[in-house]
């Protein structure tokens, strides 16, 4: 990748030198060109997926126009709602679509169709871990609170995911934007290196190339890692099976220094 070549050149230039200024300028221009290109591709793919989704959903609540040029999918997937034990049906499947601006809650139907029963602006949504076990059988529980739903009222749901990583990923996704990282004070965070390439399957996952470095924020018990890629500051999830811990303190410190230098030189903020 061309940007990697420029990053390696920048890392090796003397601080505050003319070489560093020229390398920084070239890298910044290249990153801007790549970002604009990626944004255009992402926008086209997002519009296509929104049009497809719009054709598969019915609304039993107030209709929300789905197709928007500024709308991006953050995460989607099926969860289980834990209902009142006084009801005959104590569990039911829900499907969530988390966009950058709205959360959609649906009932899965036959043929891949969905019935949207509620939605809320992301700014009015909260998710929290639930450590209470029900009848000692349930785990991976979290609460979903809509402070203002499609009817303008508050609603709280108790949800369960199939795996711990799914629960952590939902909670992390709704917590965006994440705080900016101070790389000069991140020495205590673990780091991992990519052993083999990985292609993302969800928008909250990272597509990784061999030798990519990640700063680890959290790890699930079922083998997923949330981290920030040190080459560009992009945050996301990746399977632990593709990663190897970096044990050397000196190597970790050097990686953070390199990332800080690149971020400072190019004014590259965190990507989410």
């Amino acid at each position: 990748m061309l940007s990697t070549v420029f990053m390696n050149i920048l890392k090796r230039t003397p601080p505050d030198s003319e070489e560093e200024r020229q390398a920084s300028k070239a890298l910044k221009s290249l990153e801007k060109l790549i970002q604009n290109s990626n944004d255009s591709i992402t926008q086209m793919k997002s519009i296509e997926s929104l049009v497809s989704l719009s054709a598969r959903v019915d609304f039993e609540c107030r209709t929300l126009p789905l197709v928007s040029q500024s709308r991006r999918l953050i995460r989607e997937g099926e969860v289980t709602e834990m209902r009142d034990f006084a009801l005959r049906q104590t569990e039911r499947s829900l499907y969530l679509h988390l966009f950058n601006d709205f959360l959609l809650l649906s009932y899965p139907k036959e043929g891949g169709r969905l019935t949207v029963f509620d939605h809320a602006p992301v700014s009015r949504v909260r998710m929290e871990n639930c450590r209470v076990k029900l009848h000692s059988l349930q785990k991976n529980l979290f609460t979903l609170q809509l402070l203002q739903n499609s009817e303008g009222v508050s609603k709280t749901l108790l949800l369960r995911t199939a795996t711990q990583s799914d629960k952590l990923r939902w909670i992390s996704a709704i917590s965006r934007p994440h705080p900016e990282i101070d790389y000069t004070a991140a020495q205590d965070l673990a780091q991992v290196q990519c052993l083999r390439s990985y292609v993302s399957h969800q928008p909250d996952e990272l597509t990784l190339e061999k030798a990519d470095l990640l700063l680890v924020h959290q790890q699930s018990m079922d083998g997923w890692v949330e981290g920030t890629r040190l080459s560009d500051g992009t945050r996301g999830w990746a399977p632990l099976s593709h990663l190897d811990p970096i044990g050397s303190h000196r190597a970790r410190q050097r990686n953070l220094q390199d990332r800080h230098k690149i971020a400072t030189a190019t004014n590259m903020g965190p990507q989410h």
Side-chain angles (χ1 to χ4, degrees), residues 117-247:
F117 67 90
D118 212 347
H119 53 76
V122 166
S123 61
R124 306 298 290 164
V125 176
R126 302 289 185 270
M127 291 184 182
E128 293 184 359
N129 186 24
C130 180
R131 300 184 182 278
V132 178
K133 292 186 178 181
L134 303 178
H135 294 282
S136 73
L137 297 175
Q138 310 301 341
K139 54 184 179 179
N140 304 323
L141 298 172
F142 67 98
T143 57
L144 169 62
Q145 185 178 13
L146 309 181
L147 302 179
Q148 184 179 355
N149 70 351
S150 58
E151 298 177 349
V153 299
S154 177
K155 176 190 289 187
T156 300
L157 292 81
L158 180 62
L159 303 178
R160 188 189 75 220
T161 56
T163 64
Q164 186 198 40
S165 59
D166 278 340
K167 179 183 72 171
L168 295 178
R169 287 168 66 168
W170 276 115
I171 295 174
S172 177
I174 204 64
S175 301
R176 293 159 49 95
H178 298 104
E180 187 170 347
I181 301 171
D182 180 2
Y183 293 99
T184 62
Q187 290 88 352
D188 293 335
L189 294 181
Q191 293 180 27
V192 292
Q193 184 171 27
C194 183
L195 296 172
R196 57 185 185 278
S197 61
Y198 175 76
V199 178
S200 62
H201 298 92
Q202 277 264 18
D204 66 339
E205 294 178 12
L206 292 172
T207 291
L208 298 176
E209 299 296 334
K210 185 177 180 180
D212 275 351
L213 303 172
L214 299 183
L215 189 66
V216 177
H217 302 294
Q218 62 176 327
Q219 179 179 327
S220 71
M221 295 179 65
D222 56 319
W224 282 83
V225 168
E226 183 181 28
T228 293
R229 184 166 49 208
L230 291 178
S231 61
D232 60 2
T234 303
R235 182 165 175 158
W237 292 82
L240 187 60
S241 57
H242 286 62
L243 307 171
D244 188 44
I246 299 176

Side-chain angles (χ1 to χ4, degrees), residues 244-270:
D244 188 44
I246 299 176
S248 169
H249 176 75
R250 180 176 296 180
R252 294 197 304 270
Q253 193 169 32
R254 183 180 65 248
N255 294 337
L256 291 175
Q257 290 170 348
D258 288 344
R259 171 59 191 159
H260 179 67
K261 182 175 184 178
I262 292 170
T264 301
T266 60
N267 296 318
M268 291 165 55

Side-chain angles (χ1 to χ4, degrees), residues 1-12 27 30-31 34 209 212 231 262:
M1 192 174 182
L2 189 57
S3 60
T4 303
V5 175
F6 277 83
M7 286 181 191
N8 288 331
I9 293 174
L10 178 59
K11 292 175 187 176
R12 288 161 176 77
L27 178 59
L30 179 61
E31 289 290 343
I34 293 173
E209 299 296 334
D212 275 351
S231 61
I262 292 170

Side-chain angles (χ1 to χ4, degrees), residues 70-88:
S70 61
R71 183 161 292 150
R72 300 286 183 273
L73 180 66
I74 305 301
R75 180 166 174 78
E76 66 173 301
E78 193 165 330
V79 298
T80 300
E81 180 188 6
M82 310 302 296
R83 307 179 71 200
D84 192 328
F85 284 98
L87 299 175
R88 177 176 299 178

